[in-house]
């Protein structure tokens, strides 16, 4: 049995190549293997001055094995500089290995079903950007369907998933494996590592979390759902020093 068949894979996710994955190091950084791209992104505002789109900024040099900060104290973000050793952050993982959909609620609209697992909110706010996704999904018409799709696709953490009601399959497209450190200038802080393209995340215990197309990994050290972001960076105003 190969690795892929042993791992839980969320419906609608196309897994990255086997050699691309992230290992959580106990009390340490993320070890990233297989050289996915690593690009800083800014959340830019729309005309309603809410989250509108991601703008790519700095592309970082990558290597086949790299270490990314998850304690929030590195002076060389997004890379680890060893600061976790003296930072005194509690980096224990608390997240469940269960599929996200097991604990999601569902809202049924005329043609789409929105699922929502609030625990995985990374506070990127595309779902509430002047219109609220929980209303949008319930409205009829192509304009509302397209907006709902857009909002779900921008959801950095994968808290939200959208199913086509006819096929009951997620509206999700395969993406290249990539890691995107987020900067959120509207609220004046840095955010998580947005991980896209079905990259497997392996706990320090050796067990893998469900493989998902969109995930957000905590890099401020303060989430209570580690290794995933739960939006705590916004309350502590995490700064990576790159904004
Ligand atoms: S980066 Fe979001 S909670 Fe740590």
């Amino acid at each position: 049995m190969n690795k892929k068949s042993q791992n839980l894979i969320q419906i609608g996710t196309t897994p990255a190549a086997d050699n691309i994955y992230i290992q959580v190091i106990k009390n340490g950084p993320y070890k990233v293997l297989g050289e996915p791209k690593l690009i800083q992104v800014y959340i830019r505002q729309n005309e309603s001055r809410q989250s509108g789109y991601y703008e790519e900024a700095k592309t970082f040099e990558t290597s086949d094995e790299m270490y990314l900060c998850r304690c929030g104290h590195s002076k060389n973000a997004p890379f680890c500089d060893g600061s976790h050793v003296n930072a005194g952050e509690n980096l224990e993982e608390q997240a469940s290995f269960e599929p996200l959909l097991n604990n999601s609620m569902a809202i049924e609209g005329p043609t789409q079903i929105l699922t929502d697992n609030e625990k995985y909110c990374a506070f990127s706010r595309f779902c509430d950007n002047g219109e609220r996704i929980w209303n949008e999904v319930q409205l009829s018409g192509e304009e509302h369907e397209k907006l709902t799709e857009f909002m779900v696709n921008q959801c950095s953490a994968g808290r939200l998933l959208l199913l086509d009601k006819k096929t009951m399959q997620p509206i999700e497209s395969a993406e290249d494996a990539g890691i995107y450190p987020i900067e959120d200038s509207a609220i004046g802080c840095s955010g998580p590592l947005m991980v896209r393209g079905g990259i497997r995340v392996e706990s320090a215990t050796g067990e893998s979390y469900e493989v998902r197309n969109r995930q957000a990994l905590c890099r401020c050290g303060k989430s209570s759902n580690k290794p995933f972001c739960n939006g705590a960076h916004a309350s502590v105003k995490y700064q990576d020093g790159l904004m």
Side-chain angles (χ1 to χ4, degrees):
M1 207 159 37
N2 69 27
K3 275 240 149 122
K4 274 187 189 164
S5 55
Q6 292 167 0
N7 298 317
L8 284 174
I9 297 168
Q10 189 175 62
I11 50 165
T13 290
T14 305
D18 279 354
N19 66 320
I20 302 179
Y21 63 104
I22 299 173
Q23 275 182 332
V24 179
I25 304 292
K26 193 173 169 59
N27 300 320
Y30 298 109
K31 178 177 176 179
V32 179
L33 295 124
E35 213 170 348
K37 57 190 169 185
L38 180 62
I39 304 173
Q40 178 190 41
V41 291
Y42 280 78
I43 296 177
R44 296 299 187 200
Q45 295 185 308
N46 58 18
E47 50 298 332
S48 322
R49 300 183 63 81
Q50 310 290 339
S51 297
Y53 60 98
Y54 295 105
E55 182 178 40
E56 293 193 358
K58 183 172 175 162
T59 298
F60 297 95
E61 231 177 85
T62 52
S63 56
D64 194 44
E65 181 179 311
M66 52 189 181
Y67 293 83
L68 302 183
C69 173
R70 74 177 183 103
C71 74
H73 293 267
S74 172
K75 302 278 180 296
N76 186 34
F79 301 99
C80 169
D81 71 352
S83 293
H84 56 273
V85 175
N86 298 313
E89 294 290 349
N90 176 2
L91 297 178
E92 285 299 313
E93 295 166 76
Q94 302 94 348
S96 157
F97 293 100
E98 263 188 283
L100 249 71
L101 286 177
N102 284 6
N103 298 298
S104 294
M105 62 139 187
I107 300 179
E108 198 172 323
T111 58
Q112 300 165 324
I113 297 172
L114 177 72
T115 70
D116 183 1
N117 186 330
E118 257 187 85
K119 200 166 184 183
Y120 288 77
C121 182
F123 199 56
S124 44
R125 309 180 305 288
F126 288 91
C127 53
D128 195 3
N129 67 358
E131 306 297 338
R132 302 190 76 248
I133 195 168
W134 305 272
N135 299 334
E136 282 301 308
V137 70
Q138 297 185 65
L139 300 173
S140 297
E142 198 180 349
E143 191 189 329
H144 299 293
E145 286 169 12
K146 290 281 168 227
L147 182 57
T148 307
E149 272 180 50
F150 171 78
M151 288 167 151
V152 168
N153 183 266
Q154 304 301 296
C155 170
S156 58
R159 157 187 173 168
L160 302 169
L161 194 70
L162 192 64
L163 307 176
D164 179 314
K165 222 166 132 175
K166 264 201 207 125
T167 62
M168 289 308 282
Q169 286 304 307
I171 303 170
E172 198 83 29
S173 24
E175 290 190 38
D176 286 348
I179 301 180
Y180 306 87
I182 292 181
E183 307 293 354
D184 194 341
S185 23
I187 55 169
C189 71
S190 305
L193 298 171
M194 173 164 66
V195 176
R196 301 190 73 115
I199 301 182
R200 183 171 68 86
V201 177
E202 187 180 293
S203 159
T205 64
E207 196 172 341
S208 289
Y209 294 99
E210 182 185 32
V211 178
R212 295 184 286 116
N213 200 26
R214 292 171 285 111
Q215 310 176 80
L217 291 176
C218 175
R219 62 181 182 130
C220 73
K222 304 294 188 194
S223 171
S224 53
N225 191 34
K226 284 193 272 292
F228 301 104
C229 168
N230 75 343
H233 59 270
S235 10
V236 300
K237 294 277 181 222
Y238 164 57
Q239 308 290 333
D240 65 5
L242 296 170
M243 248 172 90

